[in-house]
Amino acid sequence: MELCLPGDEIPLNGLEPGSGVAVDSDSGRAFATTAGVLRTEDEVRVENLRKRYVPRQGDCVVGIVMGRNADFFKVDIRAPSPAFLPTLAWNGATKRNRPVLEIGTLVYARVEAAHPDLDTELSCVDPDTKKSWNTGEVLLGELKGGLSFEVALSAAQRLLDVDCFILDRLGKDFAYELCVGQNGRVWLSAPTARETVLLLQAIRRSFGMSNVQIEAMVGKMVGLFS
Amino acid sequence: MARRDGRSANQLRPPQVELRPLQRADGSARFRFGDCTVLAAVYGPKEPRTRHRELCDRCTLDVVVRPRVGIPGPQERQMEALLARQLEYVVLATEYPRTQISVIVQMSCCDGSTAAVAGNAAHLALLDAGVAMKATAMCVALGVTWEALVMGEDGDLGKMVKLSPEPVIWPLGVDLEASSGNKGQLDTYRLDPTELEEAQCDALISLSMDGSRNQLVSHISSGAPLDATIWSSCIEAADKSCKACLDTAFSRVSRDAGTARRRHCGTVDRRGAGAVRKGSKRGWQFATG
């Protein structure tokens, strides 16, 4: 595990520079721009406990509707500026049949266009299904009920792993629905309010733990609370 | 000359770093040299408060310094200008066009070298927020005192007499040629002065050094004017002490990253037969017990 501070030189070894690594245009050397752990899997990047999300095209994010217009919704995705979600960017939406979201609603959307100089654009169109948005079977769209909380970006990436230990372990004993946005916002819903809060605390606490510790914590939780 | 707290002239007070004391800010840090404590918070990059503050190709850096008591006055404005100069050097402003990064600095306890501690706290808060930076620049303060060598009765340079309270550039009794360039004067500096020592100094310098490139980022000096030799020895001392400060900051970062490591390692456990997971792996997961 290698740590770096901003300004430290990083040998690329043929890999592409990722987030947190910049290449000096004059000399061609790569240096770190943030402090954190250096990861060299498929690209060289620096991982830290950053909270602000920088929009990237293709990411799926969970946002909160801040305002609305006739043509689009203004959504807060924890980025430097709010993003825009057109009201017609939903499966099967027409002028007569389009969603009306209240301010404060949670939305799971995909980033369509993200350029630092322009406004970020989102979309809830899911190309995989032909179903309309009002059926509720589409993956992208409004998230009803439950609660949302915020985590660091690298923590959200951990939760999105296919074999995320804490989520699998909690799934053995509890029934819940979870949606993790790549912007660090997580939506969680369980049958009762008590369980929702329990699961929230468990997920929050698991970020600093190893698998053995998670197992012990969840076992104790199940023993005490169910 | 031994100092009141037992340090030598070249010794810093032990630096202490606390990262993320504030949960709601994007980044925050508390830095202290001995008793002098400063808390800094970073909010951003975010939308600028008013449209006219927006710069089309870079971010606006907004520094606010609040004193421990009272309303901010000209000293706070001066410190804001100093910190803004320092942070503009390190932050890669072109990464965040049309945004604003606010750095709020609150003096908790003032015990000498406040500008240096504020600079360090602001820098560490930016590190905590993950703002893109091109260098790590730490700051340190130095107090310069003159002790003049006065010719004794039998002609040898015996007695050391301090000619304060006002700073005197050309000490009495020594001719001008001999006094230029350290021959007639003996300048001593004290690294990281406390408030008491600052009151006794003739000049006070705060320096911010970029350790990896060995460059001076910004400086502020008050008191009597200083010549080039004093400046170069101060810069050298500051360079070494900034590198020592960096090691402390680094050990703090490594302690936090240690928790990140524990998240990553560990055995991968396959799910039991009872759990069912549906939906795309992008995020929508159903799990039934």
Side-chain angles (χ1 to χ4, degrees):
Chain A
M1 182 186 69
E2 212 187 297
L3 303 169
C4 58
L5 282 176
D8 286 353
E9 189 164 349
I10 296 175
L12 279 178
N13 297 336
L15 295 170
E16 286 294 310
S19 72
V21 176
V23 179
D24 190 10
S25 46
D26 303 326
S27 54
R29 297 180 307 126
F31 62 95
T33 55
T34 50
V37 181
L38 198 62
R39 297 256 179 248
T40 47
E41 274 117 43
D42 0 297
E43 50 168 21
V44 180
R45 60 191 170 90
V46 180
E47 208 174 69
N48 54 13
L49 298 172
R50 204 158 57 97
K51 290 194 224 177
R52 279 276 160 189
Y53 169 66
V54 175
R56 209 172 45 166
Q57 192 169 6
D59 281 354
C60 284
V61 296
V62 173
I64 300 181
V65 175
M66 284 189 338
R68 70 171 187 221
N69 206 340
D71 297 322
F72 49 80
F73 300 106
K74 202 162 154 192
V75 179
D76 163 37
I77 52 171
R78 296 182 89 204
S81 58
F84 294 93
L85 172 61
T87 48
L88 291 176
W90 302 68
N91 269 12
T94 59
K95 280 219 149 154
R96 298 221 179 137
N97 173 30
R98 55 180 159 178
V100 174
L101 300 176
E102 297 300 315
I103 293 178
T105 327
L106 280 163
V107 158
Y108 185 48
R110 188 181 49 245
V111 177
E112 278 296 316
H115 191 267
D117 295 320
L118 304 171
D119 293 326
T120 317
E121 225 183 86
L122 303 175
S123 161
C124 281
V125 171
D126 194 349
D128 298 333
T129 96
K130 295 255 187 300
K131 303 207 169 146
S132 171
W133 65 271
N134 17 17
T135 54
E137 308 256 323
V138 186
L139 208 63
L140 302 172
E142 191 186 341
L143 298 167
K144 298 192 173 111
L147 54 70
S148 78
F149 58 99
E150 289 167 12
V151 295
L153 299 183
S154 50
Q157 212 57 43
R158 295 265 173 282
L159 288 175
L160 282 170
D161 274 342
V162 181
D163 43 15
C164 174
F165 186 73
I166 176 73
L167 295 178
D168 288 349
R169 180 64 191 86
L170 287 173
K172 284 186 202 157
D173 290 296
F174 298 93
Y176 65 92
E177 276 182 46
L178 179 95
C179 182
V180 182
Q182 280 171 297
N183 58 339
R185 195 168 271 141
V186 181
W187 174 80
L188 177 64
S189 173
T192 65
R194 189 166 180 258
E195 270 179 37
T196 318
V197 173
L198 265 176
L199 292 169
L200 159 70
Q201 293 298 334
I203 293 174
R204 268 237 164 100
R205 291 215 184 129
S206 71
F207 290 136
M209 294 184 173
S210 67
N211 288 358
V212 177
Q213 286 170 317
I214 291 176
E215 181 66 56
M217 176 184 77
V218 178
K220 215 186 285 182
M221 215 172 88
V222 167
L224 283 173
F225 291 111
S226 56
Chain B
M1 189 178 10
R3 292 156 88 166
R4 198 171 257 238
D5 47 7
R7 288 185 285 156
S8 68
N10 264 352
Q11 231 174 332
L12 292 169
R13 285 172 287 185
Q16 286 169 52
V17 174
E18 187 189 334
L19 282 183
R20 209 162 278 202
L22 306 172
Q23 293 300 321
R24 286 189 181 273
D26 287 323
S28 54
R30 188 178 276 128
F31 190 87
R32 43 162 69 183
F33 267 142
D35 275 336
C36 185
T37 319
V38 170
L39 174 64
V42 167
Y43 293 90
K46 56 174 187 173
E47 269 212 319
R49 252 177 299 153
T50 44
R51 276 276 167 239
H52 82 264
R53 304 189 72 176
E54 199 178 74
L55 294 169
C56 61
D57 60 339
R58 46 184 47 237
C59 71
T60 322
L61 201 60
D62 187 28
V63 184
V64 173
V65 174
R66 296 249 174 266
R68 196 177 64 87
V69 287
I71 338 168
Q75 279 176 334
E76 280 72 41
R77 297 281 168 263
Q78 187 186 52
M79 202 178 297
E80 281 171 17
L82 170 72
L83 288 178
R85 261 205 315 274
Q86 218 167 288
L87 299 178
E88 263 159 21
Y89 170 81
V90 283
V91 169
L92 282 174
T94 46
E95 290 276 316
Y96 309 106
R98 294 169 53 230
T99 62
Q100 176 182 348
I101 299 180
S102 297
V103 182
I104 323 270
V105 174
Q106 171 70 55
M107 309 300 213
S108 291
C109 183
C110 297
D111 187 24
S113 51
T114 46
V117 177
N120 284 335
H123 196 89
L124 288 165
L126 282 171
L127 273 185
D128 189 41
V131 171
M133 295 200 272
K134 73 176 188 217
T136 313
M138 294 270 122
C139 324
V140 86
L142 290 126
V144 181
T145 326
W146 284 308
E147 273 134 15
L149 297 171
V150 175
M151 296 285 248
E153 269 127 24
D154 30 359
D156 58 6
L157 300 168
K159 221 162 90 174
M160 287 230 280
V161 171
K162 180 106 180 11
L163 293 178
S164 42
E166 303 86 49
V168 176
I169 303 179
W170 308 118
L172 307 165
V174 181
D175 61 22
L176 287 175
E177 267 120 65
S179 66
S180 66
N182 281 358
K183 276 194 199 145
Q185 298 180 36
L186 185 66
D187 317 296
T188 57
Y189 61 79
R190 291 200 188 97
L191 203 57
D192 191 25
T194 61
E195 202 162 353
L196 213 60
E197 287 171 350
E198 272 184 4
Q200 294 166 350
C201 287
D202 295 319
L204 193 61
I205 316 174
S206 273
L207 294 163
S208 171
M209 303 292 301
D210 176 2
S212 55
R213 294 179 182 80
N214 290 325
Q215 279 176 352
L216 175 68
V217 175
S218 77
H219 65 275
I220 189 167
S221 58
S222 60
L226 306 163
D227 67 4
T229 41
I230 306 174
W231 267 107
S232 56
S233 51
C234 286
I235 289 174
E236 208 185 293
D239 196 27
K240 291 189 187 131
S241 41
C242 284
K243 288 198 171 111
C245 249
L246 199 59
D247 289 336
T248 319
F250 200 70
S251 65
R252 174 71 214 200
V253 168
S254 61
R255 217 173 339 138
D256 280 343
T259 50
R261 178 200 193 176
R262 266 176 275 144
R263 266 178 247 146
H264 202 59
C265 72
T267 54
V268 173
D269 238 304
R270 286 284 142 217
R271 296 164 278 165
V276 170
R277 185 186 284 186
K278 283 190 261 180
S280 78
K281 65 181 171 190
R282 252 190 249 133
W284 194 276
Q285 300 175 347
F286 292 75
T288 50

